[in-house]
Amino acid sequence: MGKKISVLSILCGILIVVGYRLWIDTPSTYASNKAVSMNAAYYEPSASKGYINEPTGSLNKMMPFYMNDGGAPGRNCTTYIKVENILDNNKQADVVQENEQQQPPEQLAVHKRIALTFDDGPHKNVTDQILMTLQKYEVKATFFVLGQNVVKYPDVVKKADAFGHEIANHTWSHKNLTKLNAQQMRAEIERANEAICDATGKTPTMYRPPFGAIDEKVRESIDDIKPVLWNIDTLDWQHKTPKKTLANLKSQAKDNGIILMHDIHQQSADALEEVILYLKEEGYEFVTTSQLL
């Protein structure tokens, strides 16, 4: 009997010591701004009865809690944090608002967008160089092509389309549409559409009138495809100087801008890399014309 009592006494003593060590070694938890640190004592009955003060509504079912400010007595807190989330240091504390009002979603970051467009191509060499530069910087552009040039270089148009660029109509032979009758206008657009469709398998949804010449008669005669002009003119066709192309671009660059360049002049292809680098540094996102409109 005495041995049994001794053994039981020893076991009881071990249990008491182990229980005490577990109690003093259990870290307390403090939640502030959803970040968890171990520096404040927590006693569940006091927290749930004394600090929370019997919250109403759905919060009644959400126990136990830590107070958002650590549960200090006398504080009039309105937010509570679920214990199961706090005790897991790998989780961000889940804050529950007493009024249960959802916070408005964060606004998406606003990006400046801009579209590169190239007229009058395709050109066997110049357009190919432009495509390589665009590919290097992962930029998509819109090519307003002439039907008569598409027939000459269909492989260049196919390549542009395969790279994910947008192919649009710039008429068959670059005639001023405002000087043509309705039938002639339609012929310029339809012949170019056919050439583009033969090369890419796609029918364009946009056209750019040569010289930007458009009036109500043109709009009425060509009403099944969208006219697109520009609002940033590099004048690359006029001066044929890469530095001037870049300077003109810098002076006009703006959000929702449509840049006019041409892929039939070597100097335009030579200017493109600097144009792209400048716009990227200024925080512009490159999009195709249809994405912008």
Side-chain angles (χ1 to χ4, degrees), residues 91-137:
K91 291 182 180 179
Q92 187 179 29
D94 179 17
V95 177
V96 182
Q97 297 294 332
E98 185 174 5
N99 59 14
E100 298 184 347
Q101 292 181 353
Q102 293 184 349
Q103 296 296 322
E106 293 182 0
Q107 292 184 349
L108 296 175
V110 177
H111 296 287
K112 296 184 292 184
R113 303 197 306 164
I114 205 162
L116 273 169
T117 69
F118 298 91
D119 283 13
D120 296 352
H123 184 281
K124 183 177 181 180
N125 300 319
V126 177
T127 303
D128 192 64
Q129 180 180 331
I130 286 173
L131 288 174
M132 292 302 99
T133 303
L134 293 172
Q135 193 76 353
K136 176 181 178 180
Y137 292 101

Side-chain angles (χ1 to χ4, degrees), residues 113 206 226-229 256 258 287-293:
R113 303 197 306 164
M206 301 179 298
K226 187 173 184 176
V228 176
L229 298 179
N256 294 321
I258 298 177
V287 296
T288 61
T289 306
S290 63
Q291 289 175 315
L292 193 62
L293 297 177

Side-chain angles (χ1 to χ4, degrees), residues 7 29 78 98 141 146 148 158 170 173 182 205 245 247 253 275 277-278 280:
V7 172
T29 310
T78 59
E98 185 174 5
L146 293 176
Q148 62 185 10
K158 289 179 183 178
H170 196 38
S173 60
T205 60
T245 296
V275 166
L277 289 173
Y278 170 76
K280 281 183 173 287

